[in-house]
Structure formats: C-alpha cells, structure tokens
Amino acid sequence: MLSAVAYFFQKLIQPLKFIILICLIISIVLTPFNRVNAKENDSSPKDNEIHARFAAVIDADTNRLLYGKNADTKAPMASTTKIMTLITALEICPDDYIATTSAYAASMPDVQLNAVKGEQFSIKDLYYSLMLRSHNDTAVIIAENTAYYYICSLTDKERNELTFDISFINDYSYNSTSLGCNSTHYITPNGLDASDDADIHSTTAYELAVVMSYCIKNEHFLSITQTHDYSFTSLSGRKYSVSNANAFLNMYDNIISGKTGFTGDAGYCYVCAYRDNDRTFIVALLACGWPDNKTYKWSDAKRLLDYTRA
C-alpha cells in the first residue's frame, strides 16, 4: 500500500500529466520553421550510421532541429526523465528543504541510494544522488516531497480545486504545450517503464532535446550535472558518496550537461548539452542499443556533435 504522501503525489500528477510539467516557464514559442532539418548536405549522418532508433540534434537557443532520425516517434526514455525531476524540484523547493523517505520510495528497485523509510535528507544533497548515480528511490523521494511542498504552497481555494480544475496552471504560465512537448507523457519520476490509461511513459527524441534546452538555462542544474564526485550525510548521520556516471563529460570537449538511462523497454538512452563560445547544441538518443551495446550512445553523440560543429 502506498504511503499517504505517495498516494497524494500520484493523485496530483495524474491529472497534470506529472507535476514535473508545471515547472516549464516558457520563453520560446516554437514555430514550424524550427522543426526543419537545417543541415541537409553530403556530410549529414546517414540514418544507418546512427545506432539509436530515435535521435535528434537541436540548436538550444532556438530549438531548431538540425538532425533527426525518427525524431517525432514516441518511445520510453528511461532515466533521462530525471532531468525533469531535477528541474522541477529546483524551481519549487528551497535548498534547505528537508525531504523524508516514504515506504514507497524506499521500495524502488535498483539502482538505489538505499535510503530507508523515515530517513531525512537536505533535498539539495539528493539532487546529486539523482543525477550522478541515477538512484530510483531518490527520484521518488524528491518527487513526493516536491509535490508535498507545492501543495502546501497553494491557497485553500487552489488546493480544493486541484483535482477537478487544472486551469490554474495557466495562471503561472506553466503550459507544456508551448514548449512543444505534446507527445511527452510522464508517469514515473525515475523513468522506470510504466503505463496508464492514457499512454506509456514516453517522449520523443526531439522533445527530450527541447526539455534539456530548458534545463540548462538553470545554473544550479548545470553545476549539479557537471559535478564529478559528491558526499553527503543524512540527518540521522548515515554517510553517502556518489560519482558521476556520465562518462561523456570526459570524452568530448565542452559537454556542459548530460544524463544517461536504461530500462528493458527503453534500451540505452542519453541526452547531453554541448556549448562552445556562442553555440549550444543538444543531442538526444533513445533506444540506442541494448546489452551488450552500452557504448553506442557515446559513438552516436560524438558523430552527431562532430557533424553539427562542422
């Protein structure tokens, strides 16, 4: 049985297609022109040269598609979901917020921080567990506590109307459709494979890239995802250490952020951001091989960035 907080969190995210979507404060309105593949020439990667079944490269300043391979096809996205879990918490929770682990969060499968029911953390410490090691229990701790904090911040009227009327979202300009994410469906905050009455947990390569282009505008997000090693202690005194699993940070110059992912349905997934002087590009890869093809995402990312920079 879900804890009360976990139950309330699920009730909150279902009508809102996951609370993560409400954090998107839109500054760019996409146009059809932005979806045109802007670099079609002899140097363009051939689809059969890219291992990923679904891939996209965009200009992060305009969200213009520079290269796409089945870029609008929906697919599971595994732990790349966690970039949205992080940006949501960063925009809603104060850094000194104390997060409590529910029984539901503690029950998540590997990869885990192995937090126990009732264990408390400074939420800012959990961000490193989320992004560096991709802990599934941490994602739920962050999501549940972010939802709880958000609910407590509402007026009584907003709270009473939450289940029945989501029009208040527009009052805060939290409209995901303006970001162009009409094909993205969030169910789990950790990216584990799931389905509901509406769809499976999924996105498209293009929309995953668009989400990352939004995330990297937050300097705290960048700082966390660029960290190589981090240690912290829970309020009960348990010590934890995490190191960054995003090997591409050290494999390719000017990578400023990235997130890996893998599930049985999604395969290997990856999204990263590259910045050089005044140019910023996002690469998103979905279904980029299954075991034993763990390195395909690195070769695909390198091939696409080499092409984009040319």
mmCIF file of all heavy atoms in Angstrom, residues 9 13 17-18 20-21 73-85 136 139 183-204 208 263 265-266 269 286:
data_model
loop_
_atom_site.group_PDB
_atom_site.id
_atom_site.type_symbol
_atom_site.label_atom_id
_atom_site.label_comp_id
_atom_site.label_asym_id
_atom_site.label_seq_id
_atom_site.Cartn_x
_atom_site.Cartn_y
_atom_site.Cartn_z
ATOM 1 N N PHE A 9 0.735 12.160 -4.085
ATOM 2 C CA PHE A 9 1.585 12.547 -5.216
ATOM 3 C C PHE A 9 1.042 11.970 -6.511
ATOM 4 O O PHE A 9 0.945 12.649 -7.523
ATOM 5 C CB PHE A 9 3.010 12.047 -4.980
ATOM 6 C CG PHE A 9 3.909 12.224 -6.169
ATOM 7 C CD1 PHE A 9 4.305 13.484 -6.565
ATOM 8 C CD2 PHE A 9 4.336 11.127 -6.901
ATOM 9 C CE1 PHE A 9 5.126 13.655 -7.656
ATOM 10 C CE2 PHE A 9 5.144 11.292 -7.998
ATOM 11 C CZ PHE A 9 5.544 12.554 -8.369
ATOM 12 N N ILE A 13 -0.163 14.032 -9.826
ATOM 13 C CA ILE A 13 0.498 14.026 -11.132
ATOM 14 C C ILE A 13 -0.375 13.472 -12.229
ATOM 15 O O ILE A 13 -0.191 13.825 -13.391
ATOM 16 C CB ILE A 13 1.824 13.249 -11.104
ATOM 17 C CG1 ILE A 13 1.589 11.760 -10.843
ATOM 18 C CG2 ILE A 13 2.782 13.834 -10.092
ATOM 19 C CD1 ILE A 13 2.847 10.917 -10.921
ATOM 20 N N LYS A 17 -0.546 15.236 -15.763
ATOM 21 C CA LYS A 17 0.458 14.517 -16.547
ATOM 22 C C LYS A 17 1.839 14.697 -15.946
ATOM 23 O O LYS A 17 2.812 15.037 -16.629
ATOM 24 C CB LYS A 17 0.457 14.937 -18.009
ATOM 25 C CG LYS A 17 -0.817 14.541 -18.740
ATOM 26 C CD LYS A 17 -0.711 14.837 -20.225
ATOM 27 C CE LYS A 17 -1.966 14.393 -20.952
ATOM 28 N NZ LYS A 17 -1.912 14.677 -22.386
ATOM 29 N N PHE A 18 1.825 14.486 -14.608
ATOM 30 C CA PHE A 18 3.045 14.522 -13.787
ATOM 31 C C PHE A 18 3.423 15.966 -13.461
ATOM 32 O O PHE A 18 3.537 16.814 -14.325
ATOM 33 C CB PHE A 18 4.195 13.793 -14.500
ATOM 34 C CG PHE A 18 5.443 13.642 -13.696
ATOM 35 C CD1 PHE A 18 5.406 13.370 -12.340
ATOM 36 C CD2 PHE A 18 6.668 13.774 -14.312
ATOM 37 C CE1 PHE A 18 6.544 13.233 -11.622
ATOM 38 C CE2 PHE A 18 7.822 13.638 -13.602
ATOM 39 C CZ PHE A 18 7.768 13.368 -12.257
ATOM 40 N N ILE A 20 5.917 17.427 -12.828
ATOM 41 C CA ILE A 20 7.124 17.977 -13.459
ATOM 42 C C ILE A 20 6.780 18.952 -14.576
ATOM 43 O O ILE A 20 7.477 19.938 -14.800
ATOM 44 C CB ILE A 20 8.002 16.833 -13.994
ATOM 45 C CG1 ILE A 20 8.729 16.170 -12.818
ATOM 46 C CG2 ILE A 20 9.010 17.285 -15.004
ATOM 47 C CD1 ILE A 20 9.498 14.940 -13.173
ATOM 48 N N LEU A 21 5.681 18.694 -15.287
ATOM 49 C CA LEU A 21 5.359 19.546 -16.424
ATOM 50 C C LEU A 21 5.020 20.969 -16.007
ATOM 51 O O LEU A 21 5.147 21.904 -16.798
ATOM 52 C CB LEU A 21 4.182 18.944 -17.203
ATOM 53 C CG LEU A 21 4.490 17.654 -17.968
ATOM 54 C CD1 LEU A 21 3.245 17.172 -18.688
ATOM 55 C CD2 LEU A 21 5.611 17.879 -18.957
ATOM 56 N N THR A 73 8.946 10.196 -33.130
ATOM 57 C CA THR A 73 8.332 8.924 -32.747
ATOM 58 C C THR A 73 8.428 8.730 -31.239
ATOM 59 O O THR A 73 9.504 8.860 -30.658
ATOM 60 C CB THR A 73 9.023 7.747 -33.451
ATOM 61 O OG1 THR A 73 8.947 7.939 -34.868
ATOM 62 C CG2 THR A 73 8.347 6.427 -33.096
ATOM 63 N N LYS A 74 7.335 8.411 -30.601
ATOM 64 C CA LYS A 74 7.307 8.251 -29.151
ATOM 65 C C LYS A 74 7.981 6.951 -28.735
ATOM 66 O O LYS A 74 7.819 5.911 -29.387
ATOM 67 C CB LYS A 74 5.867 8.272 -28.643
ATOM 68 C CG LYS A 74 5.145 9.577 -28.910
ATOM 69 C CD LYS A 74 3.726 9.562 -28.395
ATOM 70 C CE LYS A 74 3.680 9.485 -26.890
ATOM 71 N NZ LYS A 74 2.311 9.678 -26.369
ATOM 72 N N ALA A 75 8.726 7.029 -27.632
ATOM 73 C CA ALA A 75 9.433 5.854 -27.119
ATOM 74 C C ALA A 75 9.720 6.068 -25.630
ATOM 75 O O ALA A 75 9.785 7.203 -25.154
ATOM 76 C CB ALA A 75 10.741 5.647 -27.881
ATOM 77 N N PRO A 76 9.907 4.987 -24.879
ATOM 78 C CA PRO A 76 10.311 5.141 -23.473
ATOM 79 C C PRO A 76 11.642 5.871 -23.382
ATOM 80 O O PRO A 76 12.496 5.737 -24.262
ATOM 81 C CB PRO A 76 10.433 3.691 -22.977
ATOM 82 C CG PRO A 76 9.620 2.882 -23.934
ATOM 83 C CD PRO A 76 9.747 3.572 -25.257
ATOM 84 N N MET A 77 11.862 6.621 -22.273
ATOM 85 C CA MET A 77 13.075 7.422 -22.169
ATOM 86 C C MET A 77 13.912 7.120 -20.941
ATOM 87 O O MET A 77 14.902 7.787 -20.668
ATOM 88 C CB MET A 77 12.770 8.924 -22.231
ATOM 89 C CG MET A 77 11.995 9.503 -21.077
ATOM 90 S SD MET A 77 10.246 9.122 -21.168
ATOM 91 C CE MET A 77 9.485 10.582 -20.476
ATOM 92 N N ALA A 78 13.507 6.096 -20.165
ATOM 93 C CA ALA A 78 14.290 5.642 -19.023
ATOM 94 C C ALA A 78 14.668 6.821 -18.115
ATOM 95 O O ALA A 78 13.883 7.746 -17.927
ATOM 96 C CB ALA A 78 15.520 4.874 -19.498
ATOM 97 N N SER A 79 15.900 6.792 -17.580
ATOM 98 C CA SER A 79 16.286 7.778 -16.563
ATOM 99 C C SER A 79 16.609 9.162 -17.103
ATOM 100 O O SER A 79 16.900 10.065 -16.307
ATOM 101 C CB SER A 79 17.484 7.258 -15.760
ATOM 102 O OG SER A 79 17.093 6.227 -14.902
ATOM 103 N N THR A 80 16.544 9.360 -18.415
ATOM 104 C CA THR A 80 16.633 10.744 -18.895
ATOM 105 C C THR A 80 15.464 11.564 -18.358
ATOM 106 O O THR A 80 15.513 12.789 -18.322
ATOM 107 C CB THR A 80 16.670 10.805 -20.428
ATOM 108 O OG1 THR A 80 15.478 10.226 -20.969
ATOM 109 C CG2 THR A 80 17.897 10.080 -20.980
ATOM 110 N N THR A 81 14.413 10.874 -17.908
ATOM 111 C CA THR A 81 13.298 11.518 -17.214
ATOM 112 C C THR A 81 13.785 12.398 -16.065
ATOM 113 O O THR A 81 13.183 13.433 -15.754
ATOM 114 C CB THR A 81 12.354 10.445 -16.644
ATOM 115 O OG1 THR A 81 11.845 9.643 -17.709
ATOM 116 C CG2 THR A 81 11.203 11.054 -15.861
ATOM 117 N N LYS A 82 14.869 11.999 -15.434
ATOM 118 C CA LYS A 82 15.299 12.640 -14.194
ATOM 119 C C LYS A 82 15.767 14.078 -14.385
ATOM 120 O O LYS A 82 15.864 14.818 -13.403
ATOM 121 C CB LYS A 82 16.382 11.799 -13.532
ATOM 122 C CG LYS A 82 15.807 10.505 -12.958
ATOM 123 C CD LYS A 82 16.862 9.509 -12.559
ATOM 124 C CE LYS A 82 16.184 8.250 -12.002
ATOM 125 N NZ LYS A 82 17.019 7.062 -12.090
ATOM 126 N N ILE A 83 16.034 14.497 -15.621
ATOM 127 C CA ILE A 83 16.353 15.909 -15.810
ATOM 128 C C ILE A 83 15.138 16.765 -15.484
ATOM 129 O O ILE A 83 15.262 17.885 -14.990
ATOM 130 C CB ILE A 83 16.902 16.214 -17.220
ATOM 131 C CG1 ILE A 83 15.859 16.009 -18.313
ATOM 132 C CG2 ILE A 83 18.153 15.395 -17.506
ATOM 133 C CD1 ILE A 83 16.313 16.453 -19.706
ATOM 134 N N MET A 84 13.931 16.233 -15.751
ATOM 135 C CA MET A 84 12.717 16.972 -15.416
ATOM 136 C C MET A 84 12.401 16.898 -13.937
ATOM 137 O O MET A 84 11.913 17.866 -13.344
ATOM 138 C CB MET A 84 11.551 16.427 -16.240
ATOM 139 C CG MET A 84 11.548 16.941 -17.657
ATOM 140 S SD MET A 84 11.189 18.701 -17.674
ATOM 141 C CE MET A 84 9.440 18.663 -17.958
ATOM 142 N N THR A 85 12.689 15.760 -13.324
ATOM 143 C CA THR A 85 12.504 15.651 -11.883
ATOM 144 C C THR A 85 13.371 16.680 -11.171
ATOM 145 O O THR A 85 12.927 17.350 -10.227
ATOM 146 C CB THR A 85 12.864 14.237 -11.414
ATOM 147 O OG1 THR A 85 12.089 13.282 -12.150
ATOM 148 C CG2 THR A 85 12.601 14.060 -9.932
ATOM 149 N N ASN A 136 16.934 5.404 -8.230
ATOM 150 C CA ASN A 136 15.493 5.396 -8.447
ATOM 151 C C ASN A 136 14.706 5.754 -7.194
ATOM 152 O O ASN A 136 13.647 6.396 -7.287
ATOM 153 C CB ASN A 136 15.052 4.023 -8.965
ATOM 154 C CG ASN A 136 15.535 3.755 -10.373
ATOM 155 O OD1 ASN A 136 15.529 4.642 -11.224
ATOM 156 N ND2 ASN A 136 15.975 2.530 -10.634
ATOM 157 N N ALA A 139 14.750 9.567 -6.787
ATOM 158 C CA ALA A 139 13.820 10.280 -7.671
ATOM 159 C C ALA A 139 12.436 10.358 -7.056
ATOM 160 O O ALA A 139 11.763 11.395 -7.122
ATOM 161 C CB ALA A 139 13.759 9.586 -9.027
ATOM 162 N N SER A 183 3.827 15.324 -27.206
ATOM 163 C CA SER A 183 3.938 13.866 -27.309
ATOM 164 C C SER A 183 4.628 13.245 -26.107
ATOM 165 O O SER A 183 4.925 12.051 -26.118
ATOM 166 C CB SER A 183 4.702 13.484 -28.588
ATOM 167 O OG SER A 183 4.000 13.888 -29.742
ATOM 168 N N THR A 184 4.917 14.039 -25.095
ATOM 169 C CA THR A 184 5.591 13.534 -23.903
ATOM 170 C C THR A 184 4.565 13.186 -22.838
ATOM 171 O O THR A 184 3.664 13.970 -22.554
ATOM 172 C CB THR A 184 6.587 14.570 -23.363
ATOM 173 O OG1 THR A 184 7.601 14.799 -24.339
ATOM 174 C CG2 THR A 184 7.244 14.083 -22.078
ATOM 175 N N HIS A 185 4.738 12.001 -22.225
ATOM 176 C CA HIS A 185 3.804 11.552 -21.190
ATOM 177 C C HIS A 185 4.603 11.025 -20.007
ATOM 178 O O HIS A 185 5.277 10.004 -20.109
ATOM 179 C CB HIS A 185 2.888 10.460 -21.741
ATOM 180 C CG HIS A 185 1.819 10.022 -20.790
ATOM 181 N ND1 HIS A 185 0.816 10.857 -20.381
ATOM 182 C CD2 HIS A 185 1.608 8.833 -20.154
ATOM 183 C CE1 HIS A 185 0.008 10.212 -19.551
ATOM 184 N NE2 HIS A 185 0.486 8.979 -19.388
ATOM 185 N N TYR A 186 4.553 11.748 -18.884
ATOM 186 C CA TYR A 186 5.279 11.352 -17.691
ATOM 187 C C TYR A 186 4.373 10.570 -16.748
ATOM 188 O O TYR A 186 3.254 10.985 -16.464
ATOM 189 C CB TYR A 186 5.815 12.576 -16.946
ATOM 190 C CG TYR A 186 6.893 13.333 -17.673
ATOM 191 C CD1 TYR A 186 6.594 14.502 -18.376
ATOM 192 C CD2 TYR A 186 8.206 12.882 -17.671
ATOM 193 C CE1 TYR A 186 7.577 15.194 -19.039
ATOM 194 C CE2 TYR A 186 9.198 13.572 -18.334
ATOM 195 C CZ TYR A 186 8.885 14.728 -19.017
ATOM 196 O OH TYR A 186 9.876 15.414 -19.672
ATOM 197 N N ILE A 187 4.867 9.462 -16.267
ATOM 198 C CA ILE A 187 4.161 8.670 -15.262
ATOM 199 C C ILE A 187 5.032 8.490 -14.025
ATOM 200 O O ILE A 187 4.570 8.664 -12.905
ATOM 201 C CB ILE A 187 3.749 7.290 -15.820
ATOM 202 C CG1 ILE A 187 2.849 7.451 -17.043
ATOM 203 C CG2 ILE A 187 3.047 6.462 -14.734
ATOM 204 C CD1 ILE A 187 2.527 6.144 -17.746
ATOM 205 N N THR A 188 6.285 8.142 -14.225
ATOM 206 C CA THR A 188 7.197 7.899 -13.106
ATOM 207 C C THR A 188 8.271 8.977 -13.053
ATOM 208 O O THR A 188 8.778 9.401 -14.092
ATOM 209 C CB THR A 188 7.878 6.520 -13.230
ATOM 210 O OG1 THR A 188 8.693 6.496 -14.407
ATOM 211 C CG2 THR A 188 6.844 5.423 -13.319
ATOM 212 N N PRO A 189 8.677 9.421 -11.852
ATOM 213 C CA PRO A 189 9.715 10.446 -11.759
ATOM 214 C C PRO A 189 11.117 9.902 -11.964
ATOM 215 O O PRO A 189 12.053 10.675 -12.129
ATOM 216 C CB PRO A 189 9.554 10.985 -10.334
ATOM 217 C CG PRO A 189 8.990 9.838 -9.570
ATOM 218 C CD PRO A 189 8.100 9.114 -10.527
ATOM 219 N N ASN A 190 11.263 8.569 -11.954
ATOM 220 C CA ASN A 190 12.586 7.971 -12.153
ATOM 221 C C ASN A 190 12.776 7.383 -13.545
ATOM 222 O O ASN A 190 13.868 6.938 -13.888
ATOM 223 C CB ASN A 190 12.868 6.904 -11.091
ATOM 224 C CG ASN A 190 11.702 5.953 -10.883
ATOM 225 O OD1 ASN A 190 10.909 5.731 -11.792
ATOM 226 N ND2 ASN A 190 11.580 5.410 -9.683
ATOM 227 N N GLY A 191 11.726 7.343 -14.338
ATOM 228 C CA GLY A 191 11.845 6.839 -15.703
ATOM 229 C C GLY A 191 11.645 5.353 -15.847
ATOM 230 O O GLY A 191 11.800 4.814 -16.955
ATOM 231 N N LEU A 192 11.292 4.652 -14.762
ATOM 232 C CA LEU A 192 11.014 3.223 -14.883
ATOM 233 C C LEU A 192 9.835 3.008 -15.827
ATOM 234 O O LEU A 192 8.909 3.811 -15.882
ATOM 235 C CB LEU A 192 10.705 2.628 -13.512
ATOM 236 C CG LEU A 192 11.866 2.592 -12.516
ATOM 237 C CD1 LEU A 192 11.407 2.016 -11.185
ATOM 238 C CD2 LEU A 192 13.041 1.785 -13.060
ATOM 239 N N ASP A 193 9.889 1.924 -16.587
ATOM 240 C CA ASP A 193 8.842 1.628 -17.549
ATOM 241 C C ASP A 193 7.493 1.538 -16.837
ATOM 242 O O ASP A 193 7.366 0.904 -15.781
ATOM 243 C CB ASP A 193 9.125 0.313 -18.265
ATOM 244 C CG ASP A 193 10.409 0.360 -19.089
ATOM 245 O OD1 ASP A 193 10.693 1.423 -19.673
ATOM 246 O OD2 ASP A 193 11.110 -0.668 -19.164
ATOM 247 N N ALA A 194 6.490 2.187 -17.412
ATOM 248 C CA ALA A 194 5.163 2.198 -16.804
ATOM 249 C C ALA A 194 4.135 2.568 -17.863
ATOM 250 O O ALA A 194 4.474 3.116 -18.923
ATOM 251 C CB ALA A 194 5.102 3.185 -15.633
ATOM 252 N N SER A 195 2.883 2.292 -17.559
ATOM 253 C CA SER A 195 1.790 2.683 -18.447
ATOM 254 C C SER A 195 0.579 3.031 -17.606
ATOM 255 O O SER A 195 0.453 2.588 -16.453
ATOM 256 C CB SER A 195 1.445 1.553 -19.426
ATOM 257 O OG SER A 195 1.001 0.401 -18.729
ATOM 258 N N ASP A 196 -0.293 3.849 -18.170
ATOM 259 C CA ASP A 196 -1.566 4.150 -17.532
ATOM 260 C C ASP A 196 -2.636 4.137 -18.605
ATOM 261 O O ASP A 196 -2.402 3.675 -19.726
ATOM 262 C CB ASP A 196 -1.512 5.483 -16.779
ATOM 263 C CG ASP A 196 -1.144 6.670 -17.658
ATOM 264 O OD1 ASP A 196 -1.282 6.560 -18.907
ATOM 265 O OD2 ASP A 196 -0.717 7.708 -17.122
ATOM 266 N N ASP A 197 -3.814 4.625 -18.276
ATOM 267 C CA ASP A 197 -4.915 4.575 -19.237
ATOM 268 C C ASP A 197 -4.645 5.435 -20.466
ATOM 269 O O ASP A 197 -5.224 5.198 -21.532
ATOM 270 C CB ASP A 197 -6.213 5.036 -18.579
ATOM 271 C CG ASP A 197 -6.711 4.059 -17.527
ATOM 272 O OD1 ASP A 197 -6.269 2.894 -17.560
ATOM 273 O OD2 ASP A 197 -7.522 4.464 -16.660
ATOM 274 N N ALA A 198 -3.785 6.434 -20.340
ATOM 275 C CA ALA A 198 -3.530 7.357 -21.442
ATOM 276 C C ALA A 198 -2.426 6.882 -22.379
ATOM 277 O O ALA A 198 -2.532 7.023 -23.597
ATOM 278 C CB ALA A 198 -3.181 8.742 -20.895
ATOM 279 N N ASP A 199 -1.339 6.319 -21.826
ATOM 280 C CA ASP A 199 -0.178 6.009 -22.670
ATOM 281 C C ASP A 199 0.872 5.295 -21.828
ATOM 282 O O ASP A 199 0.660 5.030 -20.643
ATOM 283 C CB ASP A 199 0.406 7.310 -23.248
ATOM 284 C CG ASP A 199 1.116 7.094 -24.588
ATOM 285 O OD1 ASP A 199 1.483 5.942 -24.893
ATOM 286 O OD2 ASP A 199 1.304 8.079 -25.320
ATOM 287 N N ILE A 200 2.025 5.030 -22.445
ATOM 288 C CA ILE A 200 3.183 4.567 -21.709
ATOM 289 C C ILE A 200 4.035 5.773 -21.323
ATOM 290 O O ILE A 200 3.865 6.865 -21.858
ATOM 291 C CB ILE A 200 4.028 3.568 -22.528
ATOM 292 C CG1 ILE A 200 4.629 4.251 -23.771
ATOM 293 C CG2 ILE A 200 3.216 2.349 -22.905
ATOM 294 C CD1 ILE A 200 5.656 3.400 -24.516
ATOM 295 N N HIS A 201 4.927 5.576 -20.367
ATOM 296 C CA HIS A 201 5.881 6.621 -20.002
ATOM 297 C C HIS A 201 6.813 6.822 -21.199
ATOM 298 O O HIS A 201 7.589 5.922 -21.554
ATOM 299 C CB HIS A 201 6.673 6.177 -18.775
ATOM 300 C CG HIS A 201 7.591 7.212 -18.236
ATOM 301 N ND1 HIS A 201 7.177 8.211 -17.374
ATOM 302 C CD2 HIS A 201 8.911 7.431 -18.427
ATOM 303 C CE1 HIS A 201 8.193 8.969 -17.053
ATOM 304 N NE2 HIS A 201 9.267 8.528 -17.683
ATOM 305 N N SER A 202 6.734 7.999 -21.832
ATOM 306 C CA SER A 202 7.415 8.139 -23.117
ATOM 307 C C SER A 202 7.599 9.586 -23.515
ATOM 308 O O SER A 202 6.969 10.496 -22.973
ATOM 309 C CB SER A 202 6.614 7.417 -24.211
ATOM 310 O OG SER A 202 5.281 7.916 -24.261
ATOM 311 N N THR A 203 8.472 9.783 -24.496
ATOM 312 C CA THR A 203 8.696 11.084 -25.119
ATOM 313 C C THR A 203 9.181 10.829 -26.532
ATOM 314 O O THR A 203 9.154 9.698 -27.019
ATOM 315 C CB THR A 203 9.709 11.914 -24.309
ATOM 316 O OG1 THR A 203 9.737 13.248 -24.818
ATOM 317 C CG2 THR A 203 11.106 11.331 -24.374
ATOM 318 N N THR A 204 9.623 11.879 -27.201
ATOM 319 C CA THR A 204 10.288 11.743 -28.490
ATOM 320 C C THR A 204 11.704 12.290 -28.349
ATOM 321 O O THR A 204 11.997 13.046 -27.419
ATOM 322 C CB THR A 204 9.561 12.526 -29.594
ATOM 323 O OG1 THR A 204 9.728 13.938 -29.368
ATOM 324 C CG2 THR A 204 8.071 12.186 -29.633
ATOM 325 N N LEU A 208 12.664 15.436 -25.940
ATOM 326 C CA LEU A 208 13.667 15.271 -24.894
ATOM 327 C C LEU A 208 14.758 16.323 -25.035
ATOM 328 O O LEU A 208 15.214 16.901 -24.044
ATOM 329 C CB LEU A 208 14.272 13.870 -24.964
ATOM 330 C CG LEU A 208 15.396 13.559 -23.966
ATOM 331 C CD1 LEU A 208 14.926 13.742 -22.529
ATOM 332 C CD2 LEU A 208 15.917 12.142 -24.198
ATOM 333 N N THR A 263 16.383 1.096 -19.424
ATOM 334 C CA THR A 263 15.407 0.124 -18.937
ATOM 335 C C THR A 263 15.260 -0.937 -20.018
ATOM 336 O O THR A 263 15.717 -0.758 -21.157
ATOM 337 C CB THR A 263 14.015 0.739 -18.657
ATOM 338 O OG1 THR A 263 13.441 1.185 -19.897
ATOM 339 C CG2 THR A 263 14.091 1.889 -17.664
ATOM 340 N N ASP A 265 12.600 -1.792 -21.664
ATOM 341 C CA ASP A 265 11.797 -1.312 -22.793
ATOM 342 C C ASP A 265 12.501 -0.193 -23.554
ATOM 343 O O ASP A 265 12.391 -0.104 -24.780
ATOM 344 C CB ASP A 265 10.440 -0.804 -22.307
ATOM 345 C CG ASP A 265 9.530 -1.914 -21.830
ATOM 346 O OD1 ASP A 265 9.855 -3.108 -22.075
ATOM 347 O OD2 ASP A 265 8.504 -1.603 -21.202
ATOM 348 N N ALA A 266 13.204 0.664 -22.834
ATOM 349 C CA ALA A 266 13.797 1.858 -23.459
ATOM 350 C C ALA A 266 15.133 1.580 -24.132
ATOM 351 O O ALA A 266 15.506 2.280 -25.069
ATOM 352 C CB ALA A 266 13.977 2.945 -22.411
ATOM 353 N N CYS A 269 19.641 5.103 -23.324
ATOM 354 C CA CYS A 269 19.202 6.444 -23.728
ATOM 355 C C CYS A 269 20.238 7.452 -23.236
ATOM 356 O O CYS A 269 20.938 7.219 -22.254
ATOM 357 C CB CYS A 269 17.843 6.775 -23.129
ATOM 358 S SG CYS A 269 16.532 5.627 -23.579
ATOM 359 N N LEU A 286 17.401 7.867 -28.098
ATOM 360 C CA LEU A 286 16.526 6.889 -27.462
ATOM 361 C C LEU A 286 16.681 5.544 -28.158
ATOM 362 O O LEU A 286 16.903 5.490 -29.375
ATOM 363 C CB LEU A 286 15.065 7.344 -27.546
ATOM 364 C CG LEU A 286 14.711 8.678 -26.874
ATOM 365 C CD1 LEU A 286 13.262 9.055 -27.172
ATOM 366 C CD2 LEU A 286 14.948 8.607 -25.374
#
